[in-house]
Amino acid sequence: MDVTCEVVGEGTETLLLADDATYADVCRATGYSPHEVTVLVDGSPVPEDAPVESSEVKVLRLIKGG
């Protein structure tokens, strides 16, 4: 399955994922842990363990600071 993935602030790439991939797999394919980012589909966050059902996603890095 091909998924167009925009990592906000870094660019867009096409990921080749297994048919049974989850959104956590999308995170890992972009080089991030699911704990570092959230995946958005149509502007809404999706659970990391949900199966990928969209051909276009955004990955948003989460920022922690103090």
Side-chain angles (χ1 to χ4, degrees):
M1 151 187 318
D2 287 336
V3 176
T4 302
C5 177
E6 176 189 349
V7 179
V8 177
E10 294 184 18
T12 302
E13 62 182 294
T14 300
L15 306 174
L16 179 59
L17 301 172
D19 289 336
D20 61 346
T22 65
Y23 289 105
D25 296 320
V26 171
C27 299
R28 290 184 198 95
T30 60
Y32 293 104
S33 161
H35 303 289
E36 296 177 283
V37 297
T38 190
V39 178
L40 305 173
V41 174
D42 295 327
S44 297
V46 292
E48 66 184 55
D49 60 348
V52 176
E53 297 177 347
S54 178
S55 62
E56 294 185 15
V57 301
K58 283 188 180 183
V59 173
L60 181 64
R61 292 181 60 200
L62 304 174
I63 298 173
K64 179 180 175 185

